[in-house]
Amino acid sequence: MKVLLDIKDEKAELFMKMLRKLPYVKFKPLLPIHFKILDEAIEVVDDIELIEQGKLETRDAKEFLDELLCQNDAKV
């Protein structure tokens, strides 16, 4: 099983020392980019669940792409 924990910085070192003593636990600290990617992925999954429940409307892909292209044209 994999879990993601959010530990206060001042307690992280102690917690990591405890984890190292457990032979059945493997861990790897994550980089800030990993957190950003995970947060965005969780947001996407949450949106998909809302769409499936009918609580969030979908957008037409062509409309979305046209909007993106217009925004990019305005920046150029």
Side-chain angles (χ1 to χ4, degrees), residues 35-50:
F35 292 114
K36 181 176 168 107
I37 293 168
L38 283 171
D39 286 341
E40 290 175 1
I42 290 168
E43 186 177 324
V44 168
V45 171
D46 290 344
D47 285 350
I48 291 170
E49 288 178 359
L50 291 174

Side-chain angles (χ1 to χ4, degrees), residues 48-66:
I48 291 170
E49 288 178 359
L50 291 174
I51 290 168
E52 289 175 345
Q53 295 170 6
K55 296 178 181 178
L56 185 66
E57 290 187 25
T58 59
R59 293 177 56 184
D60 181 66
K62 183 174 179 359
E63 176 186 316
F64 175 71
L65 291 173
D66 287 344

